[in-house]
Amino acid sequence: MHYVTAKGILSAKNGMNLYRGCQHGCIYCDSRSECYHMDHDFEDIEVKENALVLLEDALRRKRRLCMIGTGSMSDPYMPLENKLQYTRKALELIHRYGFGATLITKSDRILRDLDLLKAINDKTKCVVQMTMTTYDEELCCKLEPGVCTTKARFEALKVLGDAGIPTVVWLCPILPFINDTPENINGILDYCEEAQVKGIICFGMGVTLRAGNREYFYRQLDRHFPGLKTEYIRRYGDAYMLDSPRSRELMGLFHRRCQSAGILHDNDRIFQYLSQFEEKTMPQMSLF
């Protein structure tokens, strides 16, 4: 871990990353890609030491309330968040200034901040987005070794739902010849139905690989799935998008299940929902 002084914190679309790099060790992580110009080891987490000062200043200056997002490039609930609590302090600022929030994570550690998530959602809108890749707990430990398993995420989604906090699941990536099975998709969708998630984001049944994350992914294939790298290279070469051979079948299953369960499965509609700020009116007490 090392500290840097950042020049800004919010993107043009009001997203932020309090950290750069990640401790979760997911074997497919696109954030390792060279195009992001990370000039330090991915596991050597860059902490923006002035992030909270920058955030408060940005929130004060905004003319309109909006949704503030985090988690797109670095999970806000890595283990070091236990000590630093940057994410919790950012949520406190978001709540204090009346903004909405949406967070993307793979960790049930988010339940630590349930009080703040509820407080924000009571005033405006707070949406938790949770990534799920595999229903198989043993496989999950290989694909995402530094984070809680899918079942723990499912339990967290249920707690969030019971608290009235809307949830969205990212169904990705689906790795060819690893988790691209109807059993896996059905298992994840069973969890989503039971947890009553609002929507599921899915860009297709496959994975993207770029320079930087491709090399790391292939090293992990050699470690956990000997011989599979050869099949990937033979079939996909240096392609960016690696579609599962079962993509059409699995996407049909995905859409049918979501339609039947009343779960949003149109990515554009979900992203519109995530970006739309809502101000809730508090019920007024009668004078009589």
Side-chain angles (χ1 to χ4, degrees):
M1 183 182 74
H2 65 281
Y3 289 88
V4 298
T5 301
K7 295 181 179 179
I9 192 62
L10 288 183
S11 71
K13 294 185 177 180
N14 300 306
M16 64 177 177
N17 286 293
L18 303 167
Y19 310 115
R20 291 191 77 204
C22 192
Q23 296 174 300
H24 287 164
C26 303
I27 72 171
Y28 50 75
C29 184
D30 177 71
S31 295
R32 293 180 180 273
S33 300
E34 292 175 0
C35 63
Y36 299 118
H37 306 292
M38 196 171 297
D39 56 2
H40 56 86
D41 290 340
F42 193 68
E43 288 77 15
D44 178 17
I45 310 303
E46 178 180 290
V47 180
K48 299 174 183 178
E49 61 181 350
N50 59 333
L52 298 169
V53 172
L54 291 173
L55 177 61
E56 183 165 19
D57 183 61
L59 297 181
R60 279 177 174 166
R61 292 172 180 269
K62 280 199 172 291
R63 296 182 178 180
R64 292 184 179 179
L65 296 172
C66 63
M67 298 292 288
I68 306 295
T70 189
S72 61
M73 290 290 295
S74 182
D75 198 305
Y77 288 98
M78 291 181 286
L80 61 74
E81 169 62 18
N82 282 341
K83 176 183 178 181
L84 298 183
Q85 297 197 23
Y86 273 39
T87 301
R88 180 170 180 84
K89 292 171 184 175
L91 289 172
E92 289 173 347
L93 290 172
I94 289 168
H95 176 246
R96 183 187 309 163
Y97 288 95
F99 288 78
T102 181
L103 306 93
I104 307 173
T105 185
K106 291 187 180 81
S107 177
D108 59 354
R109 195 172 284 112
I110 193 171
L111 295 180
R112 179 202 65 184
D113 296 336
L114 186 61
D115 59 330
L116 278 170
L117 303 177
K118 289 173 62 177
I120 294 169
N121 196 58
D122 286 344
K123 289 174 62 177
T124 59
K125 184 170 71 181
C126 182
V127 187
V128 172
Q129 304 172 62
M130 191 77 75
T131 301
M132 290 186 170
T133 58
T134 178
Y135 180 74
D136 185 318
E137 294 289 278
E138 184 177 347
L139 180 58
C140 183
C141 292
K142 293 179 181 178
L143 303 183
E144 301 154 342
V147 67
C148 69
T149 63
T150 304
K151 186 175 182 181
R153 295 174 219 176
F154 157 65
E155 297 292 347
L157 287 171
K158 287 202 298 182
V159 172
L160 292 162
D162 289 343
I165 297 168
T167 57
V168 167
V169 162
W170 287 72
L171 180 58
C172 64
I174 301 302
L175 306 172
F177 317 113
I178 296 177
N179 62 338
D180 59 339
T181 66
E183 294 77 15
N184 183 50
I185 303 305
N186 276 318
I188 294 173
L189 293 176
D190 287 344
Y191 275 159
C192 291
E193 279 196 53
E194 188 173 344
Q196 297 184 324
V197 305
K198 184 175 183 68
I200 304 175
I201 295 169
C202 180
F203 288 101
M205 300 295 168
V207 64
T208 59
L209 293 181
R210 291 189 271 207
N213 80 313
R214 179 184 288 109
E215 292 78 5
Y216 184 82
F217 177 67
Y218 281 166
R219 287 198 298 272
Q220 300 309 309
L221 288 188
D222 283 339
R223 179 183 176 191
H224 296 293
F225 310 96
L228 191 52
K229 180 179 75 174
T230 302
E231 176 64 16
Y232 267 71
I233 294 172
R234 184 192 68 78
R235 180 178 287 266
Y236 300 109
D238 291 332
Y240 168 64
M241 183 66 206
L242 285 60
D243 283 318
S244 164
R246 309 179 76 172
S247 181
R248 179 176 295 183
E249 170 195 358
L250 297 178
M251 286 302 294
L253 170 63
F254 165 69
H255 287 302
R256 287 193 303 273
R257 286 285 309 268
C258 288
Q259 186 72 27
S260 175
I263 298 173
L264 277 178
H265 52 112
D266 181 296
N267 292 344
D268 290 339
R269 287 182 62 192
I270 296 172
F271 285 122
Q272 182 180 20
Y273 168 75
L274 291 171
S275 64
Q276 186 175 11
F277 178 80
E278 299 175 11
E279 191 161 13
K280 297 175 181 174
T281 56
M282 300 299 290
Q284 294 184 353
M285 294 182 64
S286 172
L287 296 176
F288 305 99

